Amino acid sequence: PPTPSPTTSVTLTPTNTPTPTSTPGTVIAQDTFQRANQTHWGTASDGISWGGDANTQSAFSISSNTGQIANGSGIYNAVLGPTATNAEVLFTGSISSFKNANLGAVLRWTNANSLYKGYIDGSNLIIQKRINGTSTTIASTPFAATSGTSYTLRFRMVGTILYAKAWPTSGSEPSNWMLTVTDSTFSSGFCGLRLQVQSGIIAHYTFFQATTQ
């Protein structure tokens, strides 16, 4: 019988396929902020209108294809998509100063007084719960962040376990979670963003995505 031809295409190593760093999940809300300059955040790139303060407070605008918060002072909330139980928020953003200011995400948000928040404040990465208007830090780890630098934060909750990690957007995502903590206060709610700014501080968001886990 004829000798079979040797197989030449046996290389199985992909060269351009990135290794996923977490379970992809199902996207339930997303915004790339690529739209015309406008007052408020309006309708996200996925066709869903922003809720919370994003379409009512004058501090919110779209500027140069970013979601901007400026000319304001205090705590602001922006939520997008349906309520979820097991979910993750991934966002990229920067803030002009961390002085009495922070940049974060929320999970299981019911209103401005009932939520979980994962955020950076310039010195630490923190997970906080807010019950009936009272905020409590439930996990924290040192994380030095620089004003004006873009950071990416991943904040997840599955069951009663919260996870968080943050890194400079120009760098690589850490392979491990930086914070893990258990809490059973809230069972479901909205995904979104929450930040604190002072007069003269400007925050920019360039990407937001919420997924179910």
Side-chain angles (χ1 to χ4, degrees):
T3 303
S5 301
T7 303
T8 55
S9 56
V10 294
T11 305
L12 299 175
T13 306
T15 54
N16 296 319
T17 306
T19 303
T21 52
S22 66
T23 307
T26 301
V27 176
I28 56 172
Q30 182 172 292
D31 198 355
T32 60
F33 301 98
Q34 301 292 306
R35 52 188 175 276
N37 291 355
Q38 62 182 62
T39 305
H40 301 143
W41 280 7
T43 303
S45 54
D46 64 0
I48 303 173
S49 292
W50 278 95
D53 301 319
N55 276 324
T56 58
Q57 296 288 336
S58 61
F60 285 80
S61 65
I62 299 296
S63 177
S64 300
N65 293 316
T66 67
Q68 178 174 281
I69 299 94
N71 303 311
S73 180
I75 297 171
Y76 295 98
N77 299 267
V79 294
L80 188 68
T83 58
T85 299
N86 299 327
E88 175 184 284
V89 168
L90 178 71
F91 79 81
T92 297
S94 64
I95 194 165
S96 63
S97 171
F98 280 104
K99 184 172 181 171
N100 298 317
N102 59 62
L103 206 60
V106 289
L107 293 169
R108 299 187 182 180
W109 185 98
T110 300
N111 54 52
N113 292 312
S114 299
L115 53 94
Y116 292 112
K117 178 182 178 182
Y119 65 98
I120 54 175
D121 67 357
S123 302
N124 299 284
L125 170 65
I126 298 163
I127 296 178
Q128 178 189 82
K129 66 176 175 181
R130 186 169 173 84
I131 306 172
N132 298 325
T134 300
S135 297
T136 305
T137 295
I138 55 175
S140 178
T141 191
F143 182 80
T146 306
S147 302
T149 298
S150 178
Y151 291 93
T152 301
L153 190 148
R154 192 182 291 275
F155 186 37
R156 177 188 296 183
M157 188 167 193
V158 176
T160 59
I161 306 176
L162 292 128
Y163 309 84
K165 55 179 159 176
W167 65 98
T169 307
S170 60
S172 299
E173 177 175 350
S175 55
N176 297 321
W177 293 102
M178 296 163 62
L179 290 176
T180 304
V181 65
T182 300
D183 191 89
S184 58
T185 305
F186 305 116
S187 58
S188 68
F190 292 97
C191 299
L193 300 167
R194 182 176 169 92
L195 75 161
Q196 181 172 343
V197 295
Q198 302 300 324
S199 179
I201 294 176
I202 301 174
H204 292 101
Y205 288 94
T206 56
F207 181 76
F208 172 87
Q209 180 176 277
T211 54
T212 55
Q213 297 297 304

